Amino acid sequence: MPALYAYGDGGCLVSAPAELARLFCRGAVQQRKRTLVAATAVAAAAAECVRVAKKQRQQLPLPLPSLDALPDECLFEILRRVPGGRGRGASACVSRRWLALLGSIRASELGQAAAAAAADTPSLPDLNEEFVMEEEDKEKSPADRCAVDRVLEGKEATDVRLSAMAVVAGSRGGLEKLAVRGSHPTRGVTDQGLSAVARGSPNLGSLALWDVPLITDAGLAEIAAGCPSLERLDISRCPLITDKGLAAVAQGCPNLVSLTIEACSGVANEGLRAIGRSCVKLQAVNIKNCPLVGDQGISSLVCSATASLAKIRLQGLNITDASLAVIGYYGKAVTDLILTRLATVGERGFWVMANAAGLQNLRCMSVTSCPGVTDLALASIAKFCPSLKQLYLRKCGHVSDAGLKAFTESAKVFENLQLEECNRVTLVGILAFLLNCSQKFRALSLVKCMGIKDICSAPAQLPLCRSLRFLTIKDCPGFTDASLAVVGMICPQLEQVDLSGLGEVTDNGLLPLIQSSEAGLIKVDLSGCKNITDVAVSSLVKGHGKSLKKVSLEGCSKITDASLFTMSESCTELAELDLSNCMVSDYGVAILASASHLKLRVLSLSGCSKVTQKSVPFLGNLGQSLEGLNLQFCNMIGNHNIASLEKKLWWCDILA
């Protein structure tokens, strides 16, 4: 029987003749030899690769250790021990991670770290350390220790900038005043930026947030928790801030003295109630265009702060007569009251506010677009507000001559009356007012009052108001020469006169006013009086040249070099002169420049088509007193001459 043989590495058993068995056994031995040789070569190659790799690793430098490999907790402890504001500022520039960690360090934690570092100071002096300390002392000079005020506007308002600002300012006690106006469209200021400010600026006293839509109650709560010294808060167009944020401010900032909230749709009555309960030092409140604020919020605020609240401004709110009644009763410390666009407040509200007899200290009152202001309300205000000195009425269509007469009979210390777009008031009412006004009355302003126009016959008894010093009659198209002549006769002590926009006034009306003035005119504005000529201006300058300091003749197209010649001879105190769009020429400019006694600070030649490049040498000789020069739309001068003039008058602000 043939023998059984196993071939290969443990393969199957087969039977074969003896010759075949000998043949296959010889082949298997050769195959095993080749396998052993290949395995030995592979092992040698692998060993060589390992040796080369080890040699390369030995030649490469070892990787440097990095602080970024540390967790936030360890890095926080390191950064809060960095000495000095310069070192922290440099650290903040490393990365946003470092900046965020530095922004999360409270000022108190920096103090603790500095104290710990001082305790570990070596006994032997280090010259390098002393040099650094001297630099830190220079950084903290008296000029640097003053209030740190910062403003972020528009695209610059981002969390990164705000955090960096807070970190750098933290070395000098932190920010004391901060205003954020606007926000970056994609990376705007958020609660994270406010948190950095709150942690690094515990002495923050004033914060203004205007049009910052990403700020929420959480950011305001951080400010309240970290800035207990906050005194002034101004929030405008921040839709995500609600009563919850104001409640946090009320709890954390008891020293608040001024609060402004404008166009914040989430703020309602509860927030104002919380402010009133906790902020007992509140002195000024400005609430504008907040649709959810009503009588409850305003009443609670005024009642709680009755002892300190001095200034109140309410605009565009859904309040009724009840709020004004509360102000009239509890506003014992109120000195300034501004009411604007209160459509749901009627005559009864103003009458009750006055008759409550609480506004004994009211000095200034402004009312705009409030239909509740009538003659009856005006008489009550004058009667029960004995300290009232200034009254500004705008777009109050129910006020007439009768109301002014009743008002002036009761207002004993009244000084200033401003009427704008009160079309039922006529010149007869103004004359009656001046006839009965107090001896302290000093200023009268009539702007865009369509009822102020010439009267057919003057009253039998013309008043003589010697106390009136400031008169403004502006943009009243019906006011002409006859009315101006009457005003000149009854007001002999005028010092400042503004007649801008009275296109119908001529020399015939202006000359009596100039001639009747006894005190000496100081400021005269005739802008837009297109019918005034050199005759009236020359009379003005000759009669009041020693007292005139400011003259505006913008748009007086009949004014020529003759007026400038008179000014150069008679004016000794003139500092501001506006000749825009007048018919003055190079000759007139040369006359002004030759008057050595003239010390003009501001000169406007805008739109003077007759002023050419020939005026440039004379303008350059106007003297060191010149601070502002307006050459806009003087196309005959040329850019090259403007450039040479800027070099010569390098200290002067030139508009061209």
Side-chain angles (χ1 to χ4, degrees):
M1 178 179 178
L4 296 176
Y5 294 92
Y7 299 99
D9 296 331
C12 61
L13 297 176
V14 296
S15 61
E19 295 80 4
L20 288 177
R22 288 194 296 270
L23 179 61
F24 280 111
C25 286
R26 191 166 49 248
V29 171
Q30 293 176 353
Q31 179 67 26
R32 282 196 292 270
K33 288 182 179 180
R34 286 195 295 271
T35 301
L36 291 174
V37 171
T40 303
V42 170
E48 180 65 19
C49 290
V50 170
R51 186 182 62 80
V52 172
K54 184 176 181 180
K55 185 177 181 180
Q56 291 177 350
R57 286 197 301 270
Q58 291 176 349
Q59 293 177 351
L60 291 175
L62 294 176
L64 296 176
S66 174
L67 289 177
D68 286 330
L70 297 175
D72 288 347
E73 294 79 7
C74 295
L75 192 55
F76 176 90
E77 293 297 331
I78 294 173
L79 292 177
R80 79 184 185 96
R81 286 170 169 79
V82 175
R86 184 175 300 177
R88 286 191 290 273
S91 301
C93 298
V94 173
S95 67
R96 292 194 177 188
R97 182 193 176 199
W98 285 36
L99 175 61
L101 288 173
L102 284 166
S104 65
I105 302 174
R106 296 188 183 276
S108 59
E109 294 170 334
L110 289 175
Q112 294 171 2
D120 296 336
T121 302
S123 57
L124 294 178
D126 186 350
L127 297 180
N128 293 327
E129 184 179 352
E130 290 182 1
F131 178 74
V132 172
M133 290 175 63
E134 290 176 1
E135 288 187 345
E136 294 296 335
D137 291 338
K138 291 179 181 179
E139 289 179 1
K140 295 182 180 180
S141 62
D144 291 334
R145 285 194 293 267
C146 63
V148 181
D149 304 350
R150 293 293 183 267
V151 177
L152 280 178
E153 292 184 310
K155 293 183 178 180
E156 294 183 355
T158 63
D159 276 344
V160 173
R161 285 182 178 269
L162 188 56
S163 299
M165 187 181 296
V167 169
V168 174
S171 61
R172 290 178 286 178
L175 298 170
E176 294 192 10
K177 293 183 180 180
L178 173 64
V180 182
R181 302 168 183 167
S183 187
H184 192 281
T186 58
R187 303 187 305 274
V189 172
T190 66
D191 296 337
Q192 182 179 357
L194 278 191
S195 177
V197 172
R199 292 174 180 272
S201 303
N203 297 320
L204 185 68
S206 176
L207 174 64
L209 302 173
W210 297 357
D211 197 12
V212 191
L214 300 181
I215 294 295
T216 68
D217 294 333
L220 210 55
E222 287 282 348
I223 291 291
C227 307
S229 301
L230 188 68
E231 295 183 349
R232 301 182 181 277
L233 179 61
D234 186 347
I235 306 172
S236 178
R237 293 183 294 277
C238 298
L240 300 182
I241 291 180
T242 67
D243 291 339
K244 185 178 179 181
L246 287 185
V249 171
Q251 183 177 359
C253 306
N255 296 320
L256 196 69
V257 297
S258 176
L259 175 65
T260 297
I261 304 175
E262 180 179 355
C264 294
S265 56
V267 174
N269 297 323
E270 290 299 325
L272 297 182
R273 185 179 288 114
I275 292 289
R277 284 196 305 263
S278 302
C279 302
V280 295
K281 299 180 181 179
L282 195 64
Q283 299 176 7
V285 171
N286 185 355
I287 312 296
K288 300 169 62 177
N289 305 323
C290 296
L292 299 181
V293 173
D295 289 328
Q296 293 182 358
I298 298 300
S299 300
S300 300
L301 189 61
V302 174
C303 291
S304 302
T306 181
S308 61
L309 193 57
K311 297 181 179 181
I312 300 177
R313 180 171 184 174
L314 306 177
Q315 175 178 323
L317 304 180
N318 296 320
I319 60 176
T320 64
D321 299 342
S323 293
L324 263 63
V326 172
I327 293 175
Y329 187 80
Y330 289 98
K332 301 183 185 303
V334 174
T335 59
D336 298 79
L337 180 61
I338 302 176
L339 306 173
T340 304
R341 290 194 292 107
L342 303 180
T344 54
V345 176
E347 180 187 61
R348 182 172 176 268
F350 283 93
W351 184 86
V352 172
M353 180 183 72
N355 281 266
L359 297 175
Q360 298 294 308
N361 295 314
L362 183 65
R363 294 198 300 265
C364 303
M365 184 175 182
S366 174
V367 184
T368 302
S369 300
C370 292
V373 177
T374 63
D375 292 340
L376 177 62
L378 203 58
S380 299
I381 291 171
K383 184 177 181 180
F384 295 101
C385 301
S387 302
L388 189 63
K389 294 183 178 182
Q390 299 182 24
L391 178 63
Y392 173 47
L393 300 178
R394 182 172 182 264
K395 293 185 178 181
C396 295
H398 297 299
V399 175
S400 66
D401 296 341
L404 286 184
K405 182 179 179 181
F407 180 87
T408 191
E409 290 175 351
S410 301
K412 301 303 180 183
V413 297
F414 195 65
E415 298 179 359
N416 189 336
L417 175 64
Q418 301 179 48
L419 302 178
E420 182 175 352
E421 296 186 52
C422 297
N423 297 326
R424 292 187 62 188
V425 176
T426 68
L427 191 58
V428 174
I430 295 299
L431 293 177
F433 179 89
L434 294 176
L435 181 64
N436 299 304
C437 68
S438 70
Q439 296 180 354
K440 297 183 179 181
F441 187 67
R442 295 175 56 83
L444 174 64
S445 176
L446 306 172
V447 179
K448 297 180 181 179
C449 295
M450 299 299 106
I452 302 298
K453 52 188 177 182
D454 292 345
I455 53 179
C456 299
S457 59
Q461 180 184 4
L462 282 176
L464 186 62
C465 187
R466 289 189 171 274
S467 62
L468 191 65
R469 297 290 186 271
F470 312 100
L471 175 64
T472 298
I473 303 176
K474 185 176 180 179
D475 296 326
C476 298
F479 193 87
T480 62
D481 291 340
S483 303
L484 189 58
V486 172
V487 170
M489 288 188 293
I490 64 179
C491 304
Q493 299 293 326
L494 290 176
E495 296 178 358
Q496 298 184 21
V497 177
D498 183 354
L499 303 176
S500 55
L502 301 183
E504 301 301 321
V505 170
T506 67
D507 295 347
N508 295 330
L510 187 59
L511 286 172
L513 184 144
I514 295 171
Q515 295 167 359
S516 63
S517 181
E518 301 173 359
L521 294 172
I522 298 175
K523 296 182 180 181
V524 177
D525 190 345
L526 300 174
S527 301
C529 298
K530 56 186 179 181
N531 291 316
I532 298 297
T533 68
D534 293 326
V535 176
V537 174
S538 298
S539 176
L540 170 68
V541 171
K542 289 179 181 179
H544 304 276
K546 294 182 179 180
S547 60
L548 276 175
K549 294 183 178 180
K550 180 179 180 180
V551 176
S552 178
L553 301 170
E554 179 183 0
C556 298
S557 55
K558 296 183 179 181
I559 300 301
T560 65
D561 296 335
S563 295
L564 301 188
F565 181 79
T566 310
M567 289 181 185
S568 66
E569 289 187 331
S570 305
C571 291
T572 58
E573 301 294 329
L574 190 63
E576 298 183 34
L577 179 60
D578 189 349
L579 300 170
S580 302
N581 299 309
C582 293
M583 299 304 293
V584 298
S585 66
D586 298 332
Y587 178 68
V589 175
I591 292 174
L592 283 180
S594 64
S596 58
H597 59 276
L598 269 181
K599 303 298 181 183
L600 285 175
R601 291 192 300 105
V602 179
L603 174 63
S604 177
L605 298 171
S606 174
C608 295
S609 57
K610 291 187 176 182
V611 175
T612 68
Q613 59 184 5
K614 296 180 181 179
S615 297
V616 173
F618 304 112
L619 291 173
N621 295 328
L622 282 175
Q624 294 284 342
S625 62
L626 193 65
E627 299 175 3
L629 178 62
N630 188 352
L631 298 176
Q632 290 180 311
F633 310 110
C634 294
N635 299 324
M636 300 299 293
I637 294 182
N639 295 332
H640 176 72
N641 294 308
I642 294 293
S644 63
L645 192 61
E646 288 177 342
K647 291 181 179 179
K648 188 171 185 179
L649 301 176
W650 53 267
W651 66 87
C652 181
D653 186 9
I654 299 178
L655 295 177

